[in-house]
Amino acid sequence: MSSKTANPVMRSAAWRISLWATLAFAIGIMLVFVMLHRFVANDIQRRSDQWLSGEVAVLGDVAGRTPKDRLYGRVVGEVAELASREVPNKLRSNSNENDSVFFLQAGDDGALKLWVGAGDGMPNLAAIRARKFISDAPYDLNVKGFNHPFRVASVRLEDGSHIYLGLSERDELRVLKNLRFRFFCLWLLVVLFGSAIVFFVTRRMLGHVREITEAASRIGQSDLSSRVPTSKRNDEVGHLALTLNRMLDRIESSMHQLHTITESLAHDLRSPLTAIRGKLEVVLSGDLKVEQSEPIVSAIDELDRLSEFLNTSLDVAEAKADALRLSRTDVDLDELVRIMIDLYEPSMLEKGLRVNLLSAGPVTILADAALLHRVVANLLDNELNHLPASCTVSIKLGTSESATTLIVEDDGPGFASEIGLRMFEQRVKGRDSRGHGLGLAFVEAVVRAHGGSVTASNRPEGGALLSISWPRETGEKIETSHSLTLVNR
């Protein structure tokens, strides 16, 4: 089984880690830039307000000491000087008039007394009058006909009139706009660069984990001697590889001990059974009467059954412990099933059973041929031992893109209700069964050791149905696409 996916980049852990890291990184950098922009904007505003408050105080002092007939000239000069102040990225006005600064003096009755600036000053005076609260601190003033607000500072003279000095915020807003654009470009560049670094670093780090996973997936029951690749890095990944290899050492040792125990147990039990059987056969070869030979023949049959029970029990025990030793070769399942049907056909015909084979033609799977023969033999044994005469056994062998399927069904009485869903457990059998209750347990254990699955149920129309499925390996070539062929026997 391979750990590779159809879209390894988009579904990889490195991709997900990079996305989350990029998201966190982008939000963090964005917050930093927002705070920096706010700090710069506040600083520009504070400096502008200080400068504007100082200038309006100077103009108030000039207005208080300058004769009325010369005040206009003095103010025009001051305003012209204010309009020429140095501002970064200053944009020249398209108008012939100075529209960046205005000076307005209003009497205590609110009437316009002196105006220096673009236009007649009435929109500016109307905007000032529209304000409900007059503050000594500079404030923003939106004037009709201008796209940008004015920052206005005021001072009250001794005669009750007010002087207002307004400075357009056009240049400051342009500076902040350019700053925001540069911040955005810098933010985008930093995020993309950081995301790429995180992705490639994470992908490189997890690449070793992927190598470990792929190596571990290739290690099966028949190849416990292989180990996952290790590295000299003293980090979590290096520790993971060493831990997995130590675990594989323990598993290999445990499997070796289990094989030793089962082989010793099988040898110790088979030897006396074989010796007893041999002695009984010697006795049976003598000149015995029929009534004397029948118990001996029966004893030999019981010994054969005991030997079979012993072999199957040991195989099931190893399979349940995932310690079944497999010698995998390419096996033509269609040919194997046909051979087994040929072997069992005489016995089935003698009992009055009929066998139908529905096959898709040659199907090659990678399996242990000897164990697969015993699996099919167990299935046919069950049909032979449990079906009454005149029943039909149907065997279907098919393939798909993902699996090879073997289905055995009959029109007999079906599985006994008392075994329920426990039919694949050891020593579980129907009330009328004369077997040891190991047949289906052995089938399930062997199929599972080959990576397949088994299901069993009673058909709605009557009879039993047992389905075995072996998954196809990725990239395995489908050797044939024959249509199903029915063979009646």
Side-chain angles (χ1 to χ4, degrees):
M1 182 177 66
S2 175
S3 60
K4 293 182 178 179
T5 58
N7 195 346
V9 175
M10 300 297 290
R11 297 182 181 178
S12 64
W15 177 258
R16 291 193 295 273
I17 292 174
S18 299
L19 285 181
W20 285 108
T22 300
L23 180 61
F25 190 63
I27 293 175
I29 297 297
M30 177 65 75
L31 290 176
V32 171
F33 281 166
V34 167
M35 295 178 63
L36 185 59
H37 176 271
R38 186 171 183 178
F39 172 78
V40 172
N42 291 338
D43 187 66
I44 291 176
Q45 189 72 77
R46 181 180 58 80
R47 292 174 178 270
S48 177
D49 288 350
Q50 289 179 351
W51 177 82
L52 195 60
S53 298
E55 292 297 330
V56 77
V58 172
L59 288 175
D61 182 65
V62 170
R65 293 184 289 103
T66 304
K68 300 297 181 184
D69 55 344
R70 290 187 291 174
L71 178 59
Y72 181 80
R74 289 287 306 271
V75 171
V76 169
E78 292 289 341
V79 170
E81 184 177 351
L82 295 178
S84 63
R85 67 192 184 105
E86 294 293 334
V87 177
N89 299 322
K90 187 173 182 178
L91 182 65
R92 291 186 177 181
S93 173
N94 295 325
S95 173
N96 294 327
E97 298 178 302
N98 177 19
D99 58 353
S100 62
V101 182
F102 74 81
F103 175 88
L104 187 150
Q105 183 178 12
D108 55 355
D109 57 351
L112 180 63
K113 296 178 63 176
L114 182 60
W115 165 256
V116 178
D120 57 1
M122 296 310 295
N124 303 64
L125 181 61
I128 292 173
R129 287 177 177 176
R131 284 185 57 86
K132 296 181 179 179
F133 303 100
I134 302 298
S135 173
D136 293 336
Y139 53 86
D140 289 335
L141 182 69
N142 292 308
V143 180
K144 185 178 180 181
F146 291 86
N147 296 327
H148 300 91
F150 285 89
R151 194 70 176 175
V152 177
S154 63
V155 62
R156 189 174 185 276
L157 302 182
E158 294 179 355
D159 60 357
S161 62
H162 286 80
I163 289 178
Y164 300 93
L165 179 62
L167 180 65
S168 176
E169 297 184 89
R170 178 181 57 200
D171 296 330
E172 286 79 3
L173 293 177
R174 182 178 299 106
V175 170
L176 293 177
K177 182 179 179 180
N178 292 336
L179 184 63
R180 286 196 296 272
F181 177 74
R182 292 174 183 177
F183 277 174
F184 175 76
C185 293
L186 183 60
W187 172 80
L188 190 62
L189 182 64
V190 171
V191 169
L192 292 178
F193 186 66
S195 175
I197 291 177
V198 171
F199 176 74
F200 285 108
V201 170
T202 306
R203 185 176 175 81
R204 184 174 180 182
M205 291 180 62
L206 295 181
H208 193 64
V209 176
R210 184 172 61 254
E211 293 174 358
I212 293 174
T213 304
E214 293 176 355
S217 66
R218 291 193 295 269
I219 298 175
Q221 293 93 342
S222 59
D223 186 24
L224 284 175
S225 60
S226 299
R227 295 293 180 267
V228 301
T230 58
S231 66
K232 296 182 180 179
R233 294 181 302 186
N234 187 24
D235 55 9
E236 290 81 357
V237 178
H239 294 166
L240 173 64
L242 293 176
T243 303
L244 285 177
N245 283 338
R246 284 195 289 267
M247 183 183 69
L248 289 171
D249 290 340
R250 293 194 295 271
I251 293 175
E252 184 181 16
S253 176
S254 300
M255 291 300 105
H256 178 71
Q257 292 178 7
L258 178 61
H259 291 156
T260 302
I261 292 173
T262 54
E263 288 172 355
S264 299
L265 182 61
H267 179 268
D268 292 344
L269 292 177
R270 284 172 186 155
S271 296
L273 291 176
T274 303
I276 294 172
R277 193 180 191 283
K279 291 178 181 178
L280 290 176
E281 287 179 343
V282 170
V283 174
L284 189 63
S285 62
D287 188 13
L288 297 176
K289 297 180 180 178
V290 176
E291 59 271 17
Q292 291 175 326
S293 61
E294 285 183 352
I296 298 176
V297 172
S298 177
I300 292 176
D301 290 341
E302 290 299 325
L303 286 175
D304 290 340
R305 292 185 61 202
L306 183 59
S307 297
E308 182 185 357
F309 173 74
L310 173 64
N311 293 332
T312 306
S313 296
L314 293 176
D315 288 338
V316 172
E318 286 191 351
K320 293 292 183 183
D322 290 332
L324 200 61
R325 287 159 289 189
L326 303 178
S327 178
R328 295 177 186 263
T329 57
D330 288 337
V331 179
D332 185 349
L333 193 57
D334 174 77
E335 181 182 3
L336 186 149
V337 171
R338 292 176 186 273
I339 291 174
M340 297 304 295
I341 290 177
D342 288 339
L343 291 176
Y344 277 81
E345 188 177 20
S347 300
M348 289 190 169
L349 290 177
E350 184 179 353
K351 193 174 180 179
L353 301 179
R354 180 183 173 88
V355 181
N356 291 334
L357 173 62
L358 196 61
S359 172
V363 178
T364 302
I365 64 172
L366 190 62
D368 189 300
L371 290 174
L372 215 55
H373 273 87
R374 293 177 61 186
V375 166
V376 178
N378 270 281
L379 297 177
L380 296 177
D381 273 338
N382 279 341
E383 302 291 357
L384 185 61
N385 294 331
H386 297 94
L387 285 182
S390 302
C391 287
T392 300
V393 179
S394 298
I395 301 176
K396 299 177 182 177
L397 179 62
T399 60
S400 66
E401 291 292 334
S402 59
T404 299
T405 306
L406 174 64
I407 298 176
V408 180
E409 57 184 354
D410 58 59
D411 54 358
F415 293 107
S417 57
E418 61 267 20
I419 63 177
L421 300 177
R422 301 172 55 236
M423 61 184 70
F424 293 119
E425 296 181 8
Q426 299 181 60
R427 311 305 300 275
V428 174
K429 58 182 182 179
R431 189 178 298 108
D432 300 329
S433 175
R434 292 177 298 174
H436 300 295
L438 293 175
L440 290 181
F442 176 78
V443 170
E444 192 270 343
V446 172
V447 171
R448 191 169 61 86
H450 285 82
S453 60
V454 187
T455 60
S457 61
N458 287 326
R459 300 193 310 162
E461 60 270 31
L465 186 148
L466 191 143
S467 176
I468 301 175
S469 178
W470 290 275
R472 282 186 173 276
E473 295 289 338
T474 304
E476 180 185 353
K477 181 180 179 181
I478 301 176
E479 297 190 354
T480 182
S481 58
H482 298 309
S483 59
L484 295 180
T485 302
L486 177 63
V487 180
N488 294 323
R489 294 173 181 269

